[in-house]
Amino acid sequence: PGERIYSTRFMGDRVYMVTFKQVDPLFVIDLKNPAKPKILGALKIPGYSDYLHPYDDNHIIGFGKDTVEVKAGQGTQAFYTGMKIALFDVTDVSKPKELFKEIIGDRGTESELLHNHKALLFSRNKNLLAFPVTVMKARGQETFGMPAYGQFEFQGAYVYRVDPKQGFQLKARITHLTGEDYQKSGGSWYNNNRNVERILYINDGLYTLSKERIRVHNLSSFKGIGSLWL
């Protein structure tokens, strides 16, 4: 009661559901009898997931925001901070676990992936995870306990290796912005035509696409091998 559903993922005869009010409960729900859904297990952790993506039958990746709780009057209030990616182990459905988590940036960090799952590139066979992100870094102090809003630091693709044994390993940050763009950006960045929007691979090439540019990097070394201004 009082919580809002942020994301769901149906897998077989189960649904994995994330709700949010102050902390992030991940529920595992049995749907073998659709007329009588049954909660099998739950995990409560800070933050929330806007999108859940299956890694395999026993692991799920969550994409959302980290949060902090701040005292407000007689109670507490939750404020989101950086982008959070988490790998959940649901092998024991009665006791789901958060195996690994990664926090990107500070308050104000955003990704189209949180609103559109098509912005995600994931391949378990290639051990590859990538998505576009605008990273904000806080340079000020907290105000009345509230986390400071960040200033622009990066826009582009974050590229990871991910597996249940080693978690998230950041391998590359690929941007379409020039050095001059970053010098002019100030606290914000508004030239959306150079924002990386999609990432894909073809053979051994990792392609990042924005409205003005296409860049190609080697899928193993992540070294740049080509670029085209549109």
Side-chain angles (χ1 to χ4, degrees):
E3 296 188 356
R4 171 184 168 190
I5 295 174
Y6 270 61
S7 56
T8 57
R9 167 61 64 175
F10 290 83
M11 294 172 60
D13 54 12
R14 296 177 191 153
V15 60
Y16 300 90
M17 178 185 295
V18 169
T19 65
F20 181 71
K21 185 176 182 181
Q22 298 288 358
V23 294
D24 172 2
L26 170 68
F27 293 102
V28 184
I29 302 173
D30 185 358
L31 296 179
K32 289 179 182 177
N33 182 349
K36 295 181 179 180
K38 178 183 178 182
I39 295 177
L40 300 176
L43 170 67
K44 291 193 174 183
I45 52 176
Y48 58 85
S49 298
D50 289 293
Y51 176 62
L52 297 171
H53 191 89
Y55 177 85
D56 59 23
D57 290 342
N58 296 315
H59 299 87
I60 296 177
I61 306 172
F63 302 88
K65 292 289 183 69
D66 195 30
T67 61
V68 295
E69 289 190 59
V70 176
K71 290 185 178 180
Q74 300 299 316
T76 60
Q77 185 174 354
F79 291 89
Y80 73 86
T81 54
M83 181 178 175
K84 175 182 177 180
I85 55 178
L87 182 63
F88 299 103
D89 184 345
V90 292
T91 305
D92 182 349
V93 293
S94 66
K95 296 179 180 179
K97 302 176 182 178
E98 183 183 68
L99 291 182
F100 300 96
K101 70 175 181 178
E102 181 93 349
I103 308 300
I104 302 169
D106 296 307
R107 186 169 174 82
T109 298
E110 287 291 342
S111 172
E112 185 182 351
L113 171 57
L114 305 184
H115 317 287
N116 183 354
H117 68 275
K118 293 182 179 180
L120 174 67
L121 170 64
F122 173 70
S123 171
R124 186 160 65 94
N125 291 336
K126 292 185 176 294
N127 193 15
L128 178 65
L129 176 74
F131 50 85
V133 62
T134 299
V135 180
M136 309 290 279
K137 287 287 188 178
R139 297 168 188 168
Q141 301 296 320
E142 295 182 353
T143 304
F144 303 109
M146 294 184 295
Y149 202 90
Q151 295 186 349
F152 177 75
E153 190 263 344
F154 174 85
Q155 202 293 323
Y158 267 44
V159 184
Y160 288 90
R161 300 295 191 194
V162 58
D163 65 66
K165 293 184 178 180
Q166 300 185 64
F168 301 100
Q169 304 166 61
L170 181 62
K171 292 298 182 179
R173 299 201 320 166
I174 300 171
T175 184
H176 286 195
L177 276 60
T178 64
E180 183 178 355
D181 289 333
Y182 279 105
Q183 289 178 343
K184 292 180 177 179
S185 64
S188 302
W189 171 249
Y190 295 103
N191 187 350
N192 295 333
N193 288 333
R194 294 183 188 174
N195 284 0
V196 172
E197 296 179 333
R198 295 290 184 271
I199 307 114
L200 57 94
Y201 66 83
I202 302 174
N203 297 323
D204 294 326
L206 181 71
Y207 293 74
T208 53
L209 292 81
S210 65
K211 291 183 176 66
E212 288 190 358
R213 194 177 185 186
I214 298 174
R215 295 192 70 187
V216 190
H217 289 71
N218 181 273
L219 198 54
S220 298
S221 66
F222 300 107
K223 291 183 179 180
I225 56 177
S227 179
L228 174 66
W229 290 95
L230 304 177

